[in-house]
Amino acid sequence: PPPQRQERDFRMTLKEMSVEYTESANLIRARIRELRAEKKAANSPSASYKIDRRIKELTPMLQECRDLAELTARYYERSYHKHERYTL
């Protein structure tokens, strides 16, 4: 018989998710910093425009990662009032 395929358990706790969101936010923040440095060195208006557009695309992602990191870290705290944006 063929070998049994083991199924992986990909479940995470909310605390673990919080760490992942925080790491993602840190990566996005670092990329925005890189893009700002690139913009200072940009030689053309079109290059500068493209960089600005990318920063504008990443900024809401950064905010969402920050919000979700806090929400998942504090979800079970009685005193924590959940973020309105993510409340059903």
Side-chain angles (χ1 to χ4, degrees):
Q4 292 285 337
R5 198 172 103 197
Q6 292 183 349
E7 293 198 25
R8 293 184 180 165
D9 187 4
F10 290 106
R11 291 179 286 184
M12 298 180 123
T13 65
L14 290 175
K15 289 280 186 189
E16 291 168 333
M17 288 176 69
S18 176
V19 170
E20 295 289 325
Y21 281 122
T22 300
E23 289 174 1
S24 293
N26 290 338
L27 291 171
I28 293 169
R29 186 181 307 109
R31 182 61 182 141
I32 289 172
R33 285 188 191 126
E34 289 173 3
L35 289 168
R36 287 184 179 142
E38 286 178 28
K39 183 180 176 190
K40 287 180 182 179
N43 295 327
S44 72
S46 66
S48 182
Y49 174 77
K50 287 178 185 178
I51 293 169
D52 274 339
R53 281 196 51 165
R54 187 62 184 143
I55 290 171
K56 286 179 183 174
E57 291 170 350
L58 289 173
T59 301
M61 291 178 177
L62 175 59
Q63 186 61 51
E64 191 167 294
C65 283
R66 287 177 180 163
D67 291 345
L68 290 171
E70 181 179 5
L71 175 69
T72 53
R74 301 183 65 200
Y75 187 82
Y76 292 109
E77 292 177 18
R78 287 187 183 266
S79 63
Y80 179 66
H81 299 296
K82 291 160 187 61
H83 196 288
E84 290 177 13
R85 184 175 180 185
Y86 301 104
T87 302
L88 296 176

